[in-house]
Amino acid sequence: MGDFGEQTQDLEIPESLPMMAVRDVVVFNYMIIPLFVGRPGSIEAVNEGLGSNKLLMLVTQKDPTKDDPEEKDLYEVGMVSMIMRTLKLPDGRLKVLVQALSKAKIRSILQKKPYYRVEIDLVEEQEPTEITVETEALMRTVREHTEKIMSLRGILSSDLMMIINNIEEPGRLADLVGSNLRLKISESQKILETIDPIERLRLVADLLHKELEVSTVQAKIQSDAKEEMSRSQREYFLREQIQALKRELGDEDSYSQEIEELSKQLRKKKMPKYAKKEARKQLRRLEMMHPDASEATIVRTYLEWFLDLPWRESSKDMLDLKVAAEVLDEDHYGLDRIKERILEYLAVRKLNADTKGPIICFAGPPGVGKTSLGQAIAKAMNRKFYRLSLGGMRDEAEIRGHRRTYIGAMPGRILQGLKSVGTNNPVFMMDEIDKVGEDYRGDPSSALLEVLDPEQNNSFSDHYMNLPFDLSKVMFITTANRTDTIPGPLLDRMEVIQLSGYTLEEKMVIANKYLLPRQVSENGIKPAIIKIDDATLELIISKYTHEAGVRNLERALGKVCRKIARKVAEGGKGPYVISANTLEKYLGPPKYLPETELDTSAQPGLVIGLAWTEVGGELLHIETSILPGKGKLLLTGQLGEVMKESAQAALSYCRSRNKELGVEPDYFDTVDIHIHVPAGAIPKDGPSAGITMTTALFSAISGKAVKKGVAMTGEVTLRGRVLPIGGLKDKALAALRAGINKVIIPLENQKDLVEIPEELRKKITFFPVKHMDEVVELTLGHVGSAKTALKDASPKKSSAKSVSGKNGK
């Protein structure tokens, strides 16, 4: 090779040479390059060169796609090259190895067929005799950029870099770097056509700078893609290994099986079209996911909820009204209004199967059987039963669910309950709806508006499912101790049924029929072992419990049964008779004494009122004292704003009756009045103590005591009109528990007496009144000139007739 290079230096290049057009490459000085020749004209040109002096003019095509380029399709500047070696290929093409000798420019075209022959002018280049500092810096920049680019492209060669570092001529360095950079044809041709070596090197440096930026970004993209591909390939390889191991062990692809099983269940599941469409969409997403991806777990759980929810599954209602009535009577004693309401619903359901489920709210004190009544209703209707406690609930997501984008998201308690029972028409009980709260997480009571609205709940939307679900077939039953704490819009959607406390007779029947047999069974003793007569039961109810319901009564019976169970476990044979004489051995001394057994001697200023609380009716003892002073009114006993206002109204009414009381007009400016309600640690409030406070004031000022065995309830105005109250049955039961048989009530509450059981009306005499003067006359008789005042206020006759007896007359 060395001898051949020396021969070419002395070779004389003629002015006329055969020319061959090349594609996709620009030949630079000193290049040795193999070319594949296939076009007939090009083969003829090669053969002509071989036949003469082995010289050939190589020119680059502007458009590499043209097979028969015209003169306008060729660049003017090319390279005179020597044919070093040829090889004929089996397909008829030639493989030619050429070496570039000298740059030349086409002066004219002498011949086009069968090959090009051109007349040329050699382009002489003069390398600078002296390398300046700027030129040296430019050469170093070119070398460094070339090394970086080749390193980024992964084609760095130590031999090539050694050659580049050893070249001292700027033009030759520019040609060598330009030939190895894979530049565009137009850019390479521009380098070739630049005659001045320094300018050519500067052009190469600019192209290198731009190419370095592109190569850096390209290398980063390739690195990221390679890293991702390597990880995917590794995961794929590991999965394939796992699958191979499973096949060796005889296990099948569990993920494919799971997809197939979900698809099969989805085809069988009955659900609305919009729900099935969404489920199929999610199933297709799951098929394309990797089984170990976190998103796959979310989609799989979402699909399982689609399959678990009872979109169309319903239980068949028992529409035999007689059987339903027997079931209700079997589990609960009394509660006639509630049983009648359930039977009415079943009757409507029997005539119209598409009727919407009612929203019933049982409101009443604890222990009266609100929750157990819901279970009895489900049993009577042959429906599934689900209970949800709302007490203390503050997060709206408990009702509407969480959105699937959150970690640990799940549907709300409504859809969870329906999934649990597996039907879309259960009896759904929401306990303690009056104790729902709110905070920064939302207002659950507002979320319940859609659930409990019969006009809206046929398309209830849970945040997790994000699809409408029909709740119209569900029979919602809510419970509350009081209704005043339930938000108005929510209360408006419910049909409120008040459950009052039980009478003594009702409690005895409930104890004999339900409570005692249950406690005997739960404590593992036989019914024949224990004997409790009705008189003893009455003592337990009156002296050991003080409640509207029967919860504490069941606890007392359970305590008796536990003590007997211990005796039986220690070898006792029984039977054990629980009587009035032995009761204290089991339950200790009585906890409560009826009012008749307490010191109830009549005293001026002491009056018994009746109040309603969350736990039923209660007695309200109001004491009043008249002290020397300056006209102050002192109220104690932790009274609420309503009771304080009632006391002020009572005082104003008494001041307007100074003549009837027989006192001077300035009397109230010389005394202080102290009104006290005992049990001061217990907050007391409510609009039913007005006539009680007024009567206590009348009694204290006149010095006359109120008649024994009288209680009262009602609010009073400044002019003495008695206003109606609520909770009459509970208050009457409280009076009866205390042994009081005379109750003064507002005249407007006379209509409520029909709701009071007949046995209760037989024991209590009710006195409806419409004016405070009538209350004074009933409790204190004539005070001063009160008789005249009564005549002035009621010229015809007093309305305070007693109401009692079987027919409430």
Side-chain angles (χ1 to χ4, degrees):
M1 266 315 274
D3 295 339
F4 182 81
E6 290 174 2
Q7 293 174 7
T8 60
Q9 293 178 1
D10 300 328
L11 189 65
E12 185 176 346
I13 299 175
E15 293 183 359
S16 170
L17 287 174
M19 187 200 76
M20 184 176 75
V22 295
R23 317 178 198 230
D24 298 325
V25 65
V26 175
V27 182
F28 285 91
N29 231 341
Y30 309 108
M31 278 183 67
I32 298 176
I33 183 172
L35 298 173
F36 290 91
V37 182
R39 289 182 287 193
S42 299
I43 294 175
E44 289 285 345
V46 171
N47 290 334
E48 173 64 19
L50 287 172
S52 57
N53 50 13
K54 297 186 178 181
L55 296 179
L56 190 66
M57 179 66 175
L58 300 179
V59 178
T60 306
Q61 292 181 207
K62 294 179 181 179
D63 185 359
T65 61
K66 289 194 174 183
D67 288 333
D68 192 10
E70 300 291 334
E71 183 180 352
K72 62 181 179 179
D73 298 323
L74 302 173
Y75 286 108
E76 291 183 352
V77 179
M79 190 64 64
V80 177
S81 305
M82 174 173 280
I83 302 171
M84 299 173 60
R85 191 177 303 159
T86 61
L87 176 65
K88 192 170 184 178
L89 299 175
D91 58 0
R93 292 185 303 163
L94 289 177
K95 182 178 181 182
V96 182
L97 185 67
V98 298
Q99 180 182 14
L101 298 179
S102 177
K103 192 180 299 182
K105 184 177 180 180
I106 298 175
R107 186 194 309 160
S108 62
I109 296 178
L110 303 176
Q111 174 185 318
K112 292 185 178 180
K113 297 292 182 181
Y115 59 87
Y116 274 100
R117 176 174 282 278
V118 294
E119 191 176 10
I120 62 171
D121 291 328
L122 296 179
V123 178
E124 296 184 4
E125 296 183 2
Q126 293 293 330
E127 293 287 347
T129 56
E130 183 180 356
I131 304 297
T132 64
V133 174
E134 182 182 355
T135 304
E136 180 63 31
L138 192 59
M139 293 177 70
R140 287 187 183 182
T141 301
V142 168
R143 292 188 184 107
E144 290 174 0
H145 284 181
T146 303
E147 184 176 6
K148 288 179 181 178
I149 290 172
M150 290 185 172
S151 176
L152 289 171
R153 291 180 175 178
I155 58 173
L156 184 64
S157 168
S158 58
D159 294 338
L160 179 61
M161 287 309 303
M162 184 175 67
I163 295 172
I164 291 174
N165 290 330
N166 289 332
I167 294 176
E168 298 297 334
E169 297 88 357
R172 189 169 183 181
L173 178 62
D175 290 342
L176 182 59
V177 171
S179 65
N180 285 278
L181 273 183
R182 303 182 204 161
L183 299 173
K184 294 178 182 178
I185 295 296
S186 59
E187 293 174 342
S188 297
Q189 185 68 28
K190 189 175 181 181
I191 294 172
L192 182 69
E193 292 178 358
T194 304
I195 306 302
D196 184 76
I198 303 299
E199 287 298 322
R200 188 159 72 246
L201 187 62
R202 187 173 284 112
L203 176 61
V204 170
D206 291 341
L207 292 171
L208 279 174
H209 181 72
K210 186 175 76 170
E211 190 66 22
L212 179 60
E213 292 181 350
V214 174
S215 297
T216 303
V217 175
Q218 183 182 5
K220 184 178 184 303
I221 294 171
Q222 290 177 344
S223 175
D224 294 344
K226 184 178 180 181
E227 182 180 346
E228 181 64 29
M229 187 163 41
S230 299
R231 188 177 66 180
S232 301
Q233 288 175 343
R234 184 169 63 253
E235 290 179 356
Y236 174 78
F237 179 69
L238 291 173
R239 286 198 301 272
E240 288 300 315
Q241 282 186 319
I242 292 171
Q243 296 302 325
L245 289 172
K246 286 183 177 180
R247 285 192 292 270
E248 288 294 327
L249 293 171
D251 296 341
E252 295 184 4
D253 184 357
S254 59
Y255 186 65
S256 299
Q257 274 188 327
E258 183 182 6
I259 296 292
E260 180 61 31
E261 183 64 26
L262 286 172
S263 179
K264 188 185 299 182
Q265 292 178 19
L266 187 58
R267 286 194 297 270
K268 294 181 181 178
K269 181 71 174 179
K270 294 180 180 179
M271 61 176 73
K273 289 183 180 179
Y274 61 84
K276 184 154 286 190
K277 180 181 178 182
E278 179 66 20
R280 286 172 177 164
K281 176 184 173 183
Q282 297 299 328
L283 184 61
R284 286 194 296 271
R285 286 185 61 203
L286 185 62
E287 288 176 352
M288 293 185 289
M289 291 180 184
H290 187 275
D292 297 330
S294 58
E295 182 71 14
T297 304
I298 295 172
V299 175
R300 190 184 298 114
T301 306
Y302 186 50
L303 279 171
E304 288 172 354
W305 273 100
F306 268 99
L307 297 171
D308 291 340
L309 284 175
W311 300 90
R312 296 282 172 82
E313 291 81 5
S314 302
S315 58
K316 189 175 181 180
D317 285 343
M318 182 173 64
L319 300 177
D320 190 329
L321 301 186
K322 291 183 179 179
V323 175
E326 290 174 0
V327 172
L328 289 172
D329 289 335
E330 179 185 343
D331 290 339
H332 282 78
Y333 176 76
L335 306 177
D336 296 331
R337 280 193 308 143
I338 295 142
K339 294 176 183 177
E340 184 180 356
R341 177 65 183 87
I342 301 306
L343 294 176
E344 287 172 359
Y345 171 71
L346 289 177
V348 173
R349 184 85 178 170
K350 188 174 184 178
L351 300 176
N352 180 13
D354 297 328
T355 185
K356 297 177 180 178
I359 314 296
I360 296 174
C361 177
F362 292 147
V368 295
K370 299 186 294 297
T371 304
S372 61
L373 186 60
Q375 294 173 326
I377 291 171
K379 182 179 177 182
M381 299 175 66
N382 193 35
R383 289 192 179 189
K384 297 291 184 67
F385 177 79
Y386 185 80
R387 176 183 171 273
L388 169 63
S389 179
L390 300 176
M393 184 180 290
R394 295 179 178 273
D395 190 355
E396 183 183 345
E398 291 281 343
I399 303 298
R400 288 194 178 277
H402 307 81
R403 301 196 182 277
R404 294 200 305 278
T405 52
Y406 298 149
I407 296 173
M410 61 191 306
R413 300 285 293 279
I414 306 296
L415 293 191
Q416 289 183 43
L418 294 181
K419 173 191 173 184
S420 176
V421 297
T423 62
N424 64 357
N425 63 338
V427 174
F428 202 109
M429 173 157 278
M430 296 183 177
D431 265 339
E432 313 293 348
I433 198 170
D434 57 327
K435 297 176 179 62
V436 175
E438 62 176 292
D439 60 11
Y440 65 94
R441 292 169 293 184
D443 182 8
S445 62
S446 298
L448 285 171
L449 291 176
E450 184 183 1
V451 177
L452 299 180
D453 191 339
E455 300 300 326
Q456 298 181 34
N457 62 11
N458 59 348
S459 58
F460 170 70
S461 180
D462 184 275
H463 286 161
Y464 181 83
M465 298 303 298
N466 201 27
L467 289 171
F469 191 92
D470 187 2
L471 297 179
S472 62
K473 295 182 180 180
V474 180
M475 184 175 185
F476 287 103
I477 298 177
T478 63
T479 69
N481 294 132
R482 53 193 302 175
T483 57
D484 56 329
T485 58
I486 303 175
L490 186 59
L491 186 64
D492 180 63
R493 285 161 168 79
M494 299 184 290
E495 177 184 344
V496 179
I497 298 179
Q498 292 286 345
L499 277 76
S500 302
Y502 296 107
T503 64
L504 175 64
E505 290 74 12
E506 288 174 333
K507 288 183 179 180
M508 290 182 65
V509 174
I510 293 170
N512 280 317
K513 192 174 181 179
Y514 305 107
L515 306 183
L516 186 58
R518 184 161 63 216
Q519 287 301 318
V520 167
S521 175
E522 288 182 1
N523 287 282
I525 58 179
K526 296 179 180 179
I529 293 292
I530 180 172
K531 295 185 181 299
I532 302 180
D533 56 20
D534 289 346
T536 306
L537 264 180
E538 187 175 343
L539 282 176
I540 295 175
I541 293 168
S542 61
K543 294 190 176 183
Y544 290 90
T545 64
H546 189 73
E547 59 179 343
V550 292
R551 191 168 289 158
N552 288 326
L553 175 59
E554 186 170 8
R555 291 193 185 106
L557 294 174
K559 186 175 181 181
V560 173
C561 291
R562 286 194 302 273
K563 292 186 179 299
I564 292 176
R566 178 180 175 183
K567 292 181 179 181
V568 173
E570 291 174 350
K573 300 295 182 183
Y576 297 95
V577 179
I578 313 300
S579 64
N581 296 327
T582 60
L583 188 59
E584 289 193 19
K585 295 180 181 179
Y586 294 93
L587 297 179
K591 296 180 180 179
Y592 307 99
L593 291 177
E595 196 76 19
T596 53
E597 297 184 21
L598 296 172
D599 180 16
T600 57
S601 55
Q603 302 175 28
L606 175 61
V607 182
I608 298 174
L610 296 174
W612 183 91
T613 66
E614 291 184 15
V615 296
E618 294 288 343
L619 261 63
L620 205 62
H621 295 268
I622 295 181
E623 300 176 352
T624 305
S625 292
I626 306 298
L627 309 169
K630 298 180 180 180
K632 293 181 179 179
L633 176 63
L634 179 62
L635 304 174
T636 55
Q638 201 169 346
L639 305 181
E641 291 298 323
V642 177
M643 291 191 72
K644 290 178 180 178
E645 291 172 2
S646 297
Q648 293 285 355
L651 177 59
S652 297
Y653 173 77
C654 291
R655 296 184 71 162
S656 70
R657 292 292 189 270
N658 62 318
K659 291 182 180 179
E660 288 81 352
L661 288 169
V663 296
E664 296 298 325
D666 61 347
Y667 169 77
F668 291 96
D669 296 328
T670 60
V671 296
D672 289 343
I673 300 174
H674 185 178
I675 298 178
H676 177 64
V677 184
I682 302 173
K684 292 170 282 291
D685 201 9
S688 61
I691 66 171
T692 312
M693 288 185 172
T694 308
T695 305
L697 269 174
F698 254 90
S699 174
I701 295 170
S702 65
K704 296 187 69 174
V706 175
K707 297 175 182 178
K708 291 185 63 175
V710 176
M712 62 189 70
T713 179
E715 192 53 83
V716 69
T717 66
L718 289 176
R719 290 176 171 77
R721 189 163 64 91
V722 179
L723 302 180
I725 45 83
L728 182 59
K729 181 182 176 182
D730 289 317
K731 293 176 179 179
L733 288 171
L736 192 61
R737 286 196 299 270
I740 295 173
N741 58 5
K742 296 182 182 67
V743 177
I744 299 173
I745 62 172
L747 182 64
E748 294 181 40
N749 284 112
Q750 187 172 350
K751 64 182 186 304
D752 300 325
L753 294 177
V754 294
E755 299 180 3
I756 297 178
E758 184 178 339
E759 62 270 15
L760 185 60
R761 282 185 278 141
K762 287 180 179 179
K763 295 181 179 180
I764 297 180
T765 303
F766 294 93
F767 295 89
V769 296
K770 65 179 180 181
H771 198 276
M772 188 62 216
D773 292 341
E774 300 173 43
V775 180
V776 172
E777 186 175 354
L778 287 170
T779 56
L780 303 173
H782 298 297
V783 179
S785 57
K787 185 174 182 180
T788 306
L790 278 172
K791 286 182 179 179
D792 293 339
S794 305
K796 294 182 180 179
K797 59 179 179 178
S798 172
S799 62
K801 295 181 180 180
S802 65
V803 180
S804 61
K806 183 175 182 180
N807 297 319
K809 295 181 179 179

